[in-house]
Amino acid sequence: MPIESMAAVAHPSADNFSWERVLLDDPGPGEVLVRLVATGVCHTDLSVLAGRLPTPLPAVLGHEGAGVIEAVGAGVTTADIGDRVVLSFASCGACTRCRTGRPTQCSAYFPLNFSARRSDGSTPLRDRSGRSIGGLFFGQSSLAQYAVASQHSIVPVEVDNDDELAMLAPIGCGIQTGAGTVLNLLRPRPGSRIAVLGAGAVGLSAVMAARLCGASEIVAVDRVPARLDLAREIGATATTATAGELREFDFVIETTGVPNLLEGALEQIRAGGTVAVVGAPASGTRIAVDVNAMIDGRTLLGVTEGGSDRITFIPALIELYRGGHLPLDRLVRFYPPTALQRAVDDARTGITVKPVIRFEAP
């Protein structure tokens, strides 16, 4: 039976979210109903809101949810009622890549995550007049009190209480993207030199992971002084407000989505070095590449969600956090739902690295 939920709806041409009462259907086959404890605000959400990414609106966004399962649909095998879960990206769960631990390479990754709908075009969400609303953004649409989520988006976790669960919400996207870029894909050797362009949640997570790998030089680049201060506290060996000279670096991780920074990194990286493309600019953005400059072995590596197998990688990140090796709590600031616009503004200006909306228990 459909339930009512408060959800942050993104409308076309709007610059902010609108909290509205919506109707949420029962979970369908392979889906679960989740009561949200917390949801991170990610720059991907803000890019969709601004029209830079192709998710059809109106839709409920949010893709860093954490909560408790309250109902399960037919065929769900990954979790049960009462389980606490972190929500992450969606994939089909059936293709060869999904079945071999490479779900970020799922052939259906982009439609399943950015259409905010099921593969058949349906959605579990509608407004009170009956108009359909995108309700499966990244398989979850978790900027809401309740969400229907794909079973492939959920990762059951063992936590002491809802406060701990709330802190883990951003692991589902931003934290695993930054840390996974380093730990899953680049795998730097001890002594490597790494530059991270952008000291947001993704970039700072990459800094923390680079420290774990024993990199000898970790340079964080950002225009916000407070973020550079934080980068030094959590592992950067140096910080700067400009990209500068990167010719002797082994790896450059570009998280800002600024095309000229990506071009500059690829021009300057050392022979045999790798530039990881993490930041997402507007759809259709292109850069110029000097093909001859690539002959010396430079690599341009595209990254989605840190190349993570979320079922195994998210629990590993949680253990690193609990052991004090991945201080993600240094990035997080909680906001009540009524302060969502302030959270969005603080994310846009860089005042807060990772805003997390904290929902009250019913």
Coordinates of all heavy atoms in Angstrom, one line a residue, residues 219-309:
V219 N 50.0 16.3 -2.8 CA 49.7 17.8 -2.9 C 48.2 17.9 -3.2 O 47.7 17.4 -4.2 CB 50.6 18.4 -4.1 CG1 50.2 19.9 -4.2 CG2 52.0 18.3 -3.8
A220 N 47.6 18.7 -2.4 CA 46.2 19.1 -2.6 C 46.1 20.5 -3.1 O 46.7 21.4 -2.7 CB 45.4 18.9 -1.3
V221 N 45.2 20.6 -4.2 CA 45.0 21.9 -4.8 C 43.6 22.3 -4.7 O 42.6 21.6 -5.0 CB 45.3 21.8 -6.3 CG1 45.2 23.2 -7.0 CG2 46.8 21.2 -6.5
D222 N 43.3 23.5 -4.2 CA 42.0 24.1 -4.0 C 42.1 25.6 -3.8 O 43.1 26.1 -3.3 CB 41.3 23.4 -2.8 CG 39.7 23.5 -3.0 OD1 39.2 24.6 -2.7 OD2 39.1 22.5 -3.3
R223 N 41.0 26.3 -4.0 CA 40.9 27.7 -3.8 C 40.4 28.1 -2.4 O 40.5 29.3 -2.0 CB 40.0 28.4 -4.8 CG 40.5 28.3 -6.3 CD 39.6 29.0 -7.2 NE 40.1 29.0 -8.6 CZ 39.4 29.5 -9.6 NH1 38.2 30.0 -9.4 NH2 39.9 29.4 -10.9
V224 N 39.9 27.1 -1.6 CA 39.3 27.4 -0.3 C 40.4 27.2 0.7 O 40.8 26.0 1.0 CB 38.1 26.6 -0.1 CG1 37.5 26.9 1.3 CG2 37.0 26.9 -1.2
P225 N 40.9 28.2 1.4 CA 42.0 28.0 2.4 C 41.7 27.0 3.5 O 42.5 26.2 3.9 CB 42.2 29.4 3.0 CG 41.8 30.3 1.9 CD 40.6 29.6 1.2
A226 N 40.4 27.0 4.0 CA 40.0 26.1 5.1 C 40.1 24.6 4.6 O 40.5 23.7 5.4 CB 38.6 26.4 5.6
R227 N 39.8 24.4 3.3 CA 39.9 23.0 2.8 C 41.4 22.6 2.7 O 41.7 21.4 2.9 CB 39.2 22.9 1.5 CG 37.7 23.0 1.6 CD 37.0 22.7 0.3 NE 35.6 22.6 0.5 CZ 34.7 22.1 -0.3 NH1 35.2 21.5 -1.4 NH2 33.4 22.1 -0.1
L228 N 42.3 23.5 2.3 CA 43.7 23.2 2.3 C 44.3 22.9 3.7 O 45.1 22.0 3.8 CB 44.4 24.3 1.6 CG 44.1 24.6 0.1 CD1 44.9 25.7 -0.5 CD2 44.2 23.3 -0.7
D229 N 43.8 23.7 4.7 CA 44.2 23.4 6.0 C 43.8 22.0 6.4 O 44.6 21.3 7.1 CB 43.5 24.4 7.0 CG 44.1 25.8 6.8 OD1 45.2 26.0 6.2 OD2 43.4 26.8 7.3
L230 N 42.6 21.6 6.1 CA 42.1 20.3 6.5 C 42.9 19.2 5.7 O 43.2 18.2 6.3 CB 40.6 20.2 6.1 CG 39.9 18.8 6.4 CD1 40.1 18.4 7.9 CD2 38.4 18.9 6.1
A231 N 43.2 19.5 4.5 CA 44.0 18.5 3.7 C 45.3 18.2 4.3 O 45.7 17.0 4.4 CB 44.2 19.0 2.3
R232 N 46.0 19.2 4.9 CA 47.2 19.0 5.5 C 47.1 18.2 6.8 O 47.9 17.4 7.2 CB 47.9 20.4 5.9 CG 48.5 21.1 4.6 CD 49.4 22.2 5.0 NE 48.6 23.3 5.6 CZ 48.0 24.3 4.9 NH1 48.2 24.3 3.5 NH2 47.3 25.3 5.4
E233 N 45.9 18.5 7.5 CA 45.7 17.7 8.8 C 45.5 16.3 8.5 O 45.7 15.4 9.4 CB 44.5 18.4 9.5 CG 44.8 19.8 10.0 CD 43.5 20.5 10.5 OE1 42.5 19.8 10.6 OE2 43.6 21.7 10.7
I234 N 44.9 15.9 7.4 CA 44.5 14.5 7.2 C 45.5 13.7 6.2 O 45.2 12.6 5.9 CB 43.1 14.3 6.7 CG1 42.9 15.0 5.3 CG2 42.1 14.9 7.7 CD1 41.6 14.8 4.7
G235 N 46.6 14.4 5.8 CA 47.6 13.6 5.1 C 48.3 14.3 4.0 O 49.3 13.7 3.5
A236 N 47.9 15.4 3.5 CA 48.6 16.1 2.4 C 49.9 16.6 2.9 O 50.0 17.1 4.1 CB 47.8 17.3 1.9
T237 N 51.0 16.4 2.1 CA 52.3 16.9 2.5 C 52.5 18.4 2.1 O 53.4 19.0 2.6 CB 53.4 16.1 1.9 OG1 53.3 16.1 0.5 CG2 53.3 14.6 2.4
A238 N 51.7 18.8 1.1 CA 51.7 20.2 0.7 C 50.4 20.6 0.1 O 49.6 19.7 -0.3 CB 52.9 20.4 -0.4
T239 N 50.1 21.9 0.1 CA 48.9 22.4 -0.5 C 49.2 23.7 -1.3 O 50.2 24.4 -1.1 CB 47.8 22.7 0.6 OG1 48.4 23.7 1.4 CG2 47.5 21.5 1.4
T240 N 48.3 23.9 -2.3 CA 48.4 25.1 -3.1 C 47.1 25.5 -3.7 O 46.2 24.7 -3.8 CB 49.4 24.9 -4.3 OG1 49.5 26.0 -5.1 CG2 49.0 23.7 -5.1
A241 N 47.0 26.8 -4.0 CA 45.7 27.3 -4.6 C 45.7 27.2 -6.2 O 44.7 27.4 -6.8 CB 45.5 28.7 -4.2
T242 N 46.9 26.8 -6.8 CA 46.9 26.7 -8.2 C 47.6 25.3 -8.6 O 48.4 24.8 -7.8 CB 47.7 27.8 -8.8 OG1 49.1 27.8 -8.3 CG2 47.1 29.2 -8.6
A243 N 47.3 24.8 -9.7 CA 47.8 23.5 -10.1 C 49.3 23.5 -10.3 O 50.0 22.6 -10.0 CB 47.0 23.0 -11.4
G244 N 49.8 24.6 -10.9 CA 51.3 24.8 -11.0 C 51.9 23.7 -11.8 O 51.4 23.2 -12.8
E245 N 53.1 23.3 -11.4 CA 53.9 22.3 -12.1 C 53.7 20.9 -11.6 O 54.0 20.6 -10.5 CB 55.4 22.8 -11.9 CG 56.4 21.9 -12.7 CD 56.2 22.1 -14.2 OE1 56.2 23.2 -14.7 OE2 56.0 21.1 -14.9
L246 N 53.3 20.1 -12.6 CA 53.0 18.7 -12.2 C 53.9 17.7 -13.0 O 53.6 16.5 -13.0 CB 51.5 18.4 -12.5 CG 50.5 19.3 -11.8 CD1 49.1 18.9 -12.3 CD2 50.6 19.1 -10.3
R247 N 55.0 18.1 -13.5 CA 55.7 17.3 -14.5 C 56.4 16.1 -13.8 O 56.6 15.1 -14.5 CB 56.8 18.1 -15.2 CG 56.2 19.1 -16.1 CD 57.2 19.8 -17.0 NE 56.6 20.9 -17.7 CZ 55.8 20.8 -18.8 NH1 55.6 19.6 -19.3 NH2 55.3 21.9 -19.4
E248 N 56.7 16.1 -12.5 CA 57.3 15.0 -11.9 C 56.4 14.1 -11.1 O 56.8 13.2 -10.4 CB 58.5 15.5 -11.0 CG 59.6 16.3 -11.7 CD 60.2 15.4 -12.8 OE1 60.4 14.2 -12.6 OE2 60.4 15.9 -13.9
F249 N 55.1 14.3 -11.3 CA 54.1 13.5 -10.5 C 53.8 12.2 -11.2 O 53.7 12.2 -12.4 CB 52.9 14.3 -10.3 CG 53.0 15.3 -9.1 CD1 53.6 16.6 -9.3 CD2 52.5 15.0 -7.9 CE1 53.8 17.5 -8.3 CE2 52.7 15.9 -6.8 CZ 53.3 17.1 -7.0
D250 N 53.6 11.2 -10.4 CA 53.2 9.9 -10.9 C 51.7 9.8 -11.2 O 51.3 9.2 -12.2 CB 53.6 8.8 -9.9 CG 55.1 8.8 -9.6 OD1 55.9 8.4 -10.5 OD2 55.4 9.2 -8.4
F251 N 50.9 10.5 -10.4 CA 49.5 10.4 -10.5 C 48.9 11.8 -10.3 O 49.3 12.5 -9.4 CB 48.9 9.5 -9.5 CG 49.4 8.1 -9.6 CD1 50.4 7.6 -8.7 CD2 49.0 7.2 -10.6 CE1 50.9 6.4 -8.8 CE2 49.5 5.9 -10.7 CZ 50.5 5.5 -9.8
V252 N 47.9 12.2 -11.1 CA 47.1 13.4 -10.8 C 45.7 12.9 -10.8 O 45.2 12.3 -11.7 CB 47.3 14.5 -11.9 CG1 46.4 15.6 -11.6 CG2 48.8 15.0 -11.9
I253 N 44.9 13.3 -9.7 CA 43.5 12.9 -9.6 C 42.7 14.2 -9.8 O 42.8 15.1 -8.9 CB 43.3 12.3 -8.2 CG1 44.1 11.0 -8.1 CG2 41.8 11.9 -8.1 CD1 44.1 10.5 -6.7
E254 N 42.0 14.3 -10.8 CA 41.2 15.6 -11.2 C 39.8 15.4 -10.7 O 39.0 14.6 -11.3 CB 41.3 15.8 -12.7 CG 41.1 17.3 -13.1 CD 39.9 17.9 -12.5 OE1 38.8 17.5 -13.0 OE2 39.9 18.8 -11.6
T255 N 39.4 16.1 -9.7 CA 38.0 15.9 -9.1 C 37.1 17.1 -9.3 O 35.9 17.0 -9.0 CB 38.1 15.7 -7.6 OG1 38.4 16.9 -6.9 CG2 39.2 14.6 -7.2
T256 N 37.6 18.2 -9.9 CA 36.8 19.4 -10.0 C 35.8 19.4 -11.2 O 34.9 20.1 -11.2 CB 37.7 20.6 -10.1 OG1 38.4 20.6 -11.4 CG2 38.8 20.6 -9.0
G257 N 36.1 18.7 -12.3 CA 35.3 18.8 -13.5 C 35.6 20.0 -14.3 O 34.8 20.3 -15.2
V258 N 36.7 20.7 -14.0 CA 37.1 21.9 -14.8 C 38.0 21.4 -16.0 O 39.1 20.9 -15.8 CB 37.9 22.9 -13.9 CG1 38.3 24.1 -14.7 CG2 37.0 23.3 -12.8
P259 N 37.5 21.6 -17.2 CA 38.2 21.0 -18.4 C 39.7 21.5 -18.5 O 40.5 20.7 -18.8 CB 37.4 21.4 -19.6 CG 36.0 21.6 -19.0 CD 36.2 22.2 -17.6
N260 N 39.9 22.8 -18.3 CA 41.3 23.2 -18.5 C 42.3 22.7 -17.5 O 43.5 22.5 -17.8 CB 41.4 24.7 -18.6 CG 41.0 25.4 -17.3 OD1 40.4 24.8 -16.4 ND2 41.5 26.6 -17.1
L261 N 41.8 22.3 -16.3 CA 42.7 21.7 -15.3 C 43.0 20.3 -15.7 O 44.1 19.8 -15.6 CB 42.0 21.6 -13.9 CG 41.8 23.0 -13.2 CD1 41.2 22.8 -11.9 CD2 43.2 23.6 -13.0
L262 N 42.0 19.6 -16.4 CA 42.3 18.2 -16.9 C 43.3 18.3 -18.0 O 44.2 17.5 -18.1 CB 41.0 17.6 -17.3 CG 41.0 16.2 -17.8 CD1 41.6 15.2 -16.8 CD2 39.6 15.7 -18.3
E263 N 43.1 19.2 -18.9 CA 44.0 19.4 -20.0 C 45.5 19.7 -19.5 O 46.4 19.1 -20.0 CB 43.6 20.5 -21.0 CG 42.4 20.1 -21.8 CD 42.0 21.3 -22.7 OE1 42.5 22.4 -22.5 OE2 41.1 21.1 -23.6
G264 N 45.6 20.6 -18.6 CA 46.9 20.9 -18.0 C 47.5 19.7 -17.3 O 48.7 19.5 -17.5
A265 N 46.8 19.0 -16.6 CA 47.3 17.8 -15.9 C 47.9 16.8 -16.9 O 48.9 16.2 -16.7 CB 46.3 17.1 -15.0
L266 N 47.1 16.6 -18.0 CA 47.6 15.6 -19.0 C 48.8 16.1 -19.7 O 49.7 15.3 -20.1 CB 46.4 15.3 -20.0 CG 46.6 14.1 -20.9 CD1 46.7 12.8 -20.1 CD2 45.3 14.0 -21.8
E267 N 48.9 17.4 -19.9 CA 50.1 17.9 -20.6 C 51.3 17.8 -19.7 O 52.5 17.6 -20.2 CB 49.9 19.4 -20.9 CG 48.9 19.6 -22.1 CD 48.5 21.1 -22.2 OE1 49.0 21.9 -21.5 OE2 47.7 21.4 -23.1
Q268 N 51.2 17.9 -18.4 CA 52.3 18.0 -17.5 C 52.7 16.8 -16.8 O 53.8 16.6 -16.3 CB 52.0 19.1 -16.4 CG 51.8 20.5 -16.9 CD 51.5 21.4 -15.8 OE1 52.4 21.7 -14.9 NE2 50.3 22.0 -15.7
I269 N 51.8 15.8 -16.7 CA 52.1 14.5 -16.0 C 53.4 13.9 -16.6 O 53.7 14.0 -17.8 CB 50.9 13.5 -16.1 CG1 51.1 12.4 -15.1 CG2 50.8 13.0 -17.5 CD1 50.8 12.7 -13.7
R270 N 54.2 13.3 -15.8 CA 55.4 12.7 -16.2 C 55.2 11.6 -17.2 O 54.1 11.0 -17.3 CB 56.2 12.1 -15.0 CG 55.6 10.9 -14.4 CD 56.7 10.1 -13.6 NE 56.1 8.9 -13.0 CZ 55.9 7.7 -13.6 NH1 56.2 7.6 -14.9 NH2 55.4 6.7 -12.9
A271 N 56.2 11.2 -18.0 CA 56.1 10.1 -18.9 C 55.7 8.8 -18.1 O 56.3 8.5 -17.1 CB 57.4 9.8 -19.6
G272 N 54.7 8.1 -18.6 CA 54.2 6.9 -17.9 C 53.3 7.2 -16.7 O 52.8 6.3 -16.1
G273 N 53.0 8.5 -16.5 CA 52.1 8.9 -15.4 C 50.6 8.7 -15.8 O 50.3 8.6 -16.9
T274 N 49.8 8.8 -14.8 CA 48.3 8.6 -15.0 C 47.6 9.8 -14.4 O 47.8 10.2 -13.3 CB 47.8 7.3 -14.3 OG1 48.5 6.2 -14.9 CG2 46.3 7.1 -14.5
V275 N 46.6 10.3 -15.3 CA 45.7 11.3 -14.8 C 44.3 10.6 -14.7 O 43.8 10.0 -15.7 CB 45.6 12.4 -15.8 CG1 44.5 13.4 -15.4 CG2 46.9 13.1 -16.0
A276 N 43.8 10.6 -13.5 CA 42.5 10.0 -13.2 C 41.4 11.1 -13.4 O 41.4 12.1 -12.7 CB 42.4 9.4 -11.9
V277 N 40.4 10.8 -14.2 CA 39.3 11.7 -14.4 C 38.1 11.3 -13.5 O 37.5 10.3 -13.8 CB 38.8 11.7 -15.9 CG1 37.8 12.8 -16.2 CG2 40.0 11.8 -16.9
V278 N 37.9 12.1 -12.5 CA 36.9 11.8 -11.5 C 35.8 12.9 -11.6 O 34.6 12.5 -11.5 CB 37.5 11.8 -10.1 CG1 36.4 11.4 -9.1 CG2 38.6 10.8 -10.0
G279 N 36.1 14.1 -11.7 CA 35.1 15.2 -11.7 C 34.3 15.2 -13.0 O 34.8 14.9 -14.0
A280 N 33.0 15.4 -12.8 CA 32.1 15.4 -14.0 C 31.6 16.8 -14.4 O 30.9 17.4 -13.6 CB 30.9 14.5 -13.6
P281 N 32.1 17.3 -15.5 CA 31.6 18.6 -16.0 C 30.2 18.4 -16.7 O 29.6 17.3 -16.6 CB 32.7 19.0 -17.0 CG 33.2 17.6 -17.6 CD 33.1 16.7 -16.4
A282 N 29.7 19.4 -17.3 CA 28.5 19.3 -18.0 C 28.5 18.3 -19.1 O 29.5 18.0 -19.7 CB 28.1 20.7 -18.6
S283 N 27.4 17.6 -19.3 CA 27.3 16.6 -20.4 C 27.8 17.1 -21.7 O 27.4 18.3 -22.1 CB 25.8 16.1 -20.5 OG 25.4 15.5 -19.3
G284 N 28.6 16.3 -22.4 CA 29.0 16.7 -23.7 C 30.4 17.5 -23.7 O 30.9 17.9 -24.8
T285 N 30.9 17.8 -22.5 CA 32.2 18.5 -22.4 C 33.3 17.7 -23.1 O 33.5 16.5 -22.9 CB 32.5 18.8 -21.0 OG1 31.5 19.6 -20.4 CG2 33.9 19.5 -20.9
R286 N 34.1 18.4 -23.9 CA 35.3 17.8 -24.5 C 36.6 18.5 -24.2 O 36.5 19.7 -23.8 CB 35.1 17.8 -26.0 CG 33.9 16.9 -26.5 CD 33.7 17.0 -28.0 NE 32.5 16.2 -28.4 CZ 32.5 14.9 -28.6 NH1 33.7 14.2 -28.5 NH2 31.4 14.2 -28.9
I287 N 37.7 17.8 -24.2 CA 39.0 18.5 -24.0 C 39.9 18.2 -25.2 O 39.6 17.2 -26.0 CB 39.7 18.0 -22.7 CG1 40.0 16.5 -22.8 CG2 38.8 18.3 -21.5 CD1 40.9 16.0 -21.7
A288 N 40.9 19.0 -25.4 CA 41.9 18.8 -26.5 C 43.0 17.9 -25.9 O 43.5 18.1 -24.8 CB 42.4 20.1 -26.9
V289 N 43.4 16.9 -26.7 CA 44.5 16.0 -26.3 C 45.5 16.0 -27.4 O 45.2 15.8 -28.6 CB 43.9 14.6 -26.1 CG1 45.1 13.6 -25.8 CG2 42.9 14.6 -24.9
D290 N 46.8 16.3 -27.0 CA 47.9 16.1 -28.0 C 48.3 14.7 -28.0 O 48.9 14.1 -27.1 CB 49.1 17.0 -27.5 CG 50.3 16.9 -28.4 OD1 50.3 16.1 -29.3 OD2 51.2 17.7 -28.2
V291 N 47.9 14.0 -29.1 CA 48.0 12.6 -29.2 C 49.5 12.2 -29.2 O 49.9 11.2 -28.5 CB 47.4 12.1 -30.6 CG1 47.7 10.6 -30.7 CG2 45.9 12.3 -30.6
N292 N 50.4 13.0 -29.8 CA 51.8 12.7 -29.7 C 52.4 12.7 -28.3 O 53.3 11.9 -28.0 CB 52.6 13.6 -30.6 CG 52.4 13.3 -32.1 OD1 52.1 12.2 -32.5 ND2 52.5 14.4 -32.9
A293 N 51.8 13.5 -27.5 CA 52.3 13.6 -26.1 C 51.9 12.3 -25.3 O 52.5 12.1 -24.3 CB 51.7 14.8 -25.4
M294 N 51.0 11.6 -25.8 CA 50.6 10.3 -25.1 C 51.5 9.2 -25.4 O 51.5 8.1 -24.7 CB 49.2 9.9 -25.5 CG 48.1 11.0 -25.3 SD 47.8 11.3 -23.5 CE 47.0 9.8 -23.1
I295 N 52.4 9.3 -26.4 CA 53.2 8.2 -26.8 C 54.2 7.8 -25.8 O 54.7 6.6 -25.8 CB 53.9 8.6 -28.2 CG1 52.9 8.7 -29.3 CG2 54.9 7.5 -28.6 CD1 53.4 9.2 -30.6
D296 N 54.5 8.7 -24.8 CA 55.5 8.4 -23.8 C 54.9 7.5 -22.7 O 55.5 7.3 -21.6 CB 56.2 9.6 -23.3 CG 55.2 10.6 -22.6 OD1 54.1 10.2 -22.3 OD2 55.6 11.7 -22.2
G297 N 53.7 7.1 -22.9 CA 53.1 6.2 -21.9 C 52.1 6.8 -20.9 O 51.7 6.2 -19.9
R298 N 51.8 8.1 -21.1 CA 50.8 8.7 -20.2 C 49.4 8.1 -20.4 O 49.0 7.6 -21.5 CB 50.7 10.2 -20.6 CG 52.0 11.0 -20.5 CD 51.8 12.4 -20.9 NE 53.1 13.0 -21.3 CZ 53.4 14.3 -21.3 NH1 52.5 15.1 -21.0 NH2 54.6 14.7 -21.7
T299 N 48.7 8.0 -19.3 CA 47.4 7.4 -19.3 C 46.3 8.4 -18.8 O 46.5 9.0 -17.8 CB 47.4 6.1 -18.4 OG1 48.3 5.2 -18.9 CG2 46.0 5.5 -18.3
L300 N 45.2 8.4 -19.5 CA 44.0 9.1 -19.1 C 43.0 8.1 -18.7 O 42.5 7.4 -19.5 CB 43.5 10.0 -20.2 CG 42.3 10.9 -19.9 CD1 42.7 12.0 -18.8 CD2 41.8 11.6 -21.2
L301 N 42.7 8.1 -17.4 CA 41.9 7.0 -16.8 C 40.6 7.5 -16.3 O 40.5 8.4 -15.4 CB 42.6 6.3 -15.6 CG 41.9 5.3 -14.8 CD1 41.7 4.0 -15.7 CD2 42.6 4.9 -13.6
G302 N 39.5 7.1 -16.9 CA 38.1 7.5 -16.5 C 37.8 6.7 -15.2 O 38.0 5.5 -15.1
V303 N 37.1 7.4 -14.3 CA 36.8 6.7 -13.0 C 35.3 7.0 -12.7 O 34.8 8.1 -12.8 CB 37.6 7.4 -11.8 CG1 37.2 6.7 -10.5 CG2 39.1 7.1 -12.1
T304 N 34.6 5.9 -12.3 CA 33.3 5.9 -11.8 C 33.2 5.3 -10.5 O 33.6 4.1 -10.3 CB 32.3 5.2 -12.8 OG1 32.3 5.8 -14.0 CG2 30.9 5.3 -12.2
E305 N 32.8 6.0 -9.4 CA 32.6 5.4 -8.1 C 33.9 4.7 -7.6 O 33.8 3.7 -6.9 CB 31.4 4.5 -8.0 CG 30.1 5.1 -8.4 CD 29.5 6.0 -7.2 OE1 30.2 6.0 -6.1 OE2 28.5 6.6 -7.4
G306 N 35.0 5.2 -8.0 CA 36.3 4.6 -7.6 C 36.5 3.2 -8.0 O 37.4 2.5 -7.5
G307 N 35.8 2.8 -9.1 CA 36.0 1.4 -9.6 C 35.6 0.4 -8.5 O 36.2 -0.7 -8.5
S308 N 34.7 0.7 -7.6 CA 34.4 -0.1 -6.5 C 33.5 -1.3 -6.7 O 32.5 -1.1 -7.4 CB 33.9 0.8 -5.3 OG 34.7 1.9 -5.1
D309 N 33.7 -2.4 -6.1 CA 32.7 -3.4 -5.8 C 32.1 -3.0 -4.5 O 32.7 -3.4 -3.4 CB 33.3 -4.8 -5.8 CG 32.3 -5.9 -5.5 OD1 31.1 -5.5 -5.3 OD2 32.7 -7.1 -5.5

